[in-house]
Each structure stands twice: as structure tokens, then as C-alpha cells.
Amino acid sequence: MGSRPIQGRTTAASEEGVVVFLIGMRINSFAAVRSWWPVARAMGPMVEELTRDRDSGLLGCRTLLGGAREVHLVQYWESQEKLLAYASARDKEHRPAWAAFNRRLREGRGKVGFWHETYVVPAGSHESVYVNMPASGLGGATGVVPVGRRGDRAAERLRDS
């Protein structure tokens, strides 16, 4: 995602369906570094692996802080099938990281929390607008176009494709 603002109003270029995957962790005990540090470090290699593989289905990813205790990732995927294929692939980073995380979660007795949510958004059911912003969110993942190209109003951009 770029850092230079794009003047004017833009919208995400994609009119296709998208899968939004939110994932996060919460440090419940700062003193329990052995419980939460490996969890915090595990996501980087997975995102790097996905970014290198253009066919993985990951369109883009953004890391957000939710206060001092929480880290959230927002990921945009081409399809639910590609997200689930990555999650279950034996030869990718996710499977061993997930197994190690589950062990630490049990051993940590609540010292670290974890969550994820998956939203499958059909074509015509998402819209965006960015005003004087760098490409971010879905627009950062798929590129942006001037708003007028997809409709000047949110209702126009939400029409069924």
C-alpha cells in the first residue's frame, strides 16, 4: 500500500467478489513473553510466503494495532477456496505455525488470546471511497480508480454486477 496520497476521490478497482479475513491476538499477560511472543512472530513468515506466491490468492494485507495489547491483520483474498487451501496446505508455513500455536495456547492457560473472522463478500456487495488517501484497504489490495468510473454514490457502487 502506497504512502503518497492520491488527490480526489477514488474507489477500489475490483468489482469482483472478495474474502475479508480478520485475524488477531491479544496479550493477556505481558509477563508471559514465552506465550505471546512466538504467536506475534508467526504471522510475518506466513504473510511473506503468501506475498511471494502470486497464485496464493492473497490480494493484500494490513497490520493494525488495537491498543497496547492487541494486533490485528486485515487480509483480502481472491476466494474462500484459496484461503482454505492455504490454511490446510501441509507444505506451507500455516500448518506448523497453527500446531505450535495450539500447543502454546493450551500451555499458556489464557496468557494470550486469539481470534479470526472470515467474510465472503459477493461481487456487487462491497463499495469503498478514499478521499485524498494513499491506496489503502481493498483499494490498496486491488488498486484504485476514480470514483466516477464505478459510480459517484455508494448506492451506485453497491449495485449487483
Side-chain angles (χ1 to χ4, degrees):
M1 296 181 203
S3 60
R4 301 186 98 192
I6 300 167
Q7 295 300 308
R9 293 175 0 141
T10 60
T11 187
S14 175
E15 295 184 46
E16 303 298 317
V18 67
V19 173
V20 181
F21 182 66
L22 308 176
I23 185 168
M25 65 164 276
R26 183 178 192 279
I27 300 169
N28 294 329
S29 172
F30 283 109
V33 176
R34 290 178 59 190
S35 291
W36 60 263
W37 182 246
V39 176
R41 289 190 53 217
M43 190 56 79
M46 286 184 265
V47 171
E48 288 172 18
E49 175 180 59
L50 288 162
T51 302
R52 282 191 309 268
D53 180 3
R54 297 224 179 250
D55 294 327
S56 69
L58 181 70
L59 298 172
C61 180
R62 181 80 179 239
T63 303
L64 306 170
L65 296 177
R69 293 183 179 273
E70 295 183 26
V71 178
H72 306 204
L73 274 78
V74 179
Q75 297 181 347
Y76 299 94
W77 286 78
E78 286 177 22
S79 69
Q80 142 187 355
E81 292 78 17
K82 288 193 175 187
L83 170 62
L84 296 175
Y86 178 73
S88 62
R90 294 186 182 277
D91 62 335
K92 303 293 183 188
E93 294 278 342
H94 179 264
R95 288 282 301 254
W98 181 244
F101 170 74
N102 278 321
R103 281 191 304 277
R104 290 196 182 280
L105 196 63
R106 285 189 301 276
E107 294 165 3
R109 294 183 170 80
K111 305 240 176 10
V112 63
F114 164 84
W115 62 274
H116 80 254
E117 299 174 352
T118 307
Y119 301 93
V120 178
V121 186
S125 296
H126 62 81
E127 75 85 30
S128 59
V129 67
Y130 314 101
V131 180
N132 301 328
M133 287 287 298
S136 57
L138 182 59
T142 65
V144 295
V145 296
V147 165
R149 233 189 256 178
R150 291 206 43 228
D152 283 319
R153 302 185 54 210
E156 294 171 62
R157 293 186 299 275
L158 281 170
R159 71 184 177 279
D160 289 333
S161 298

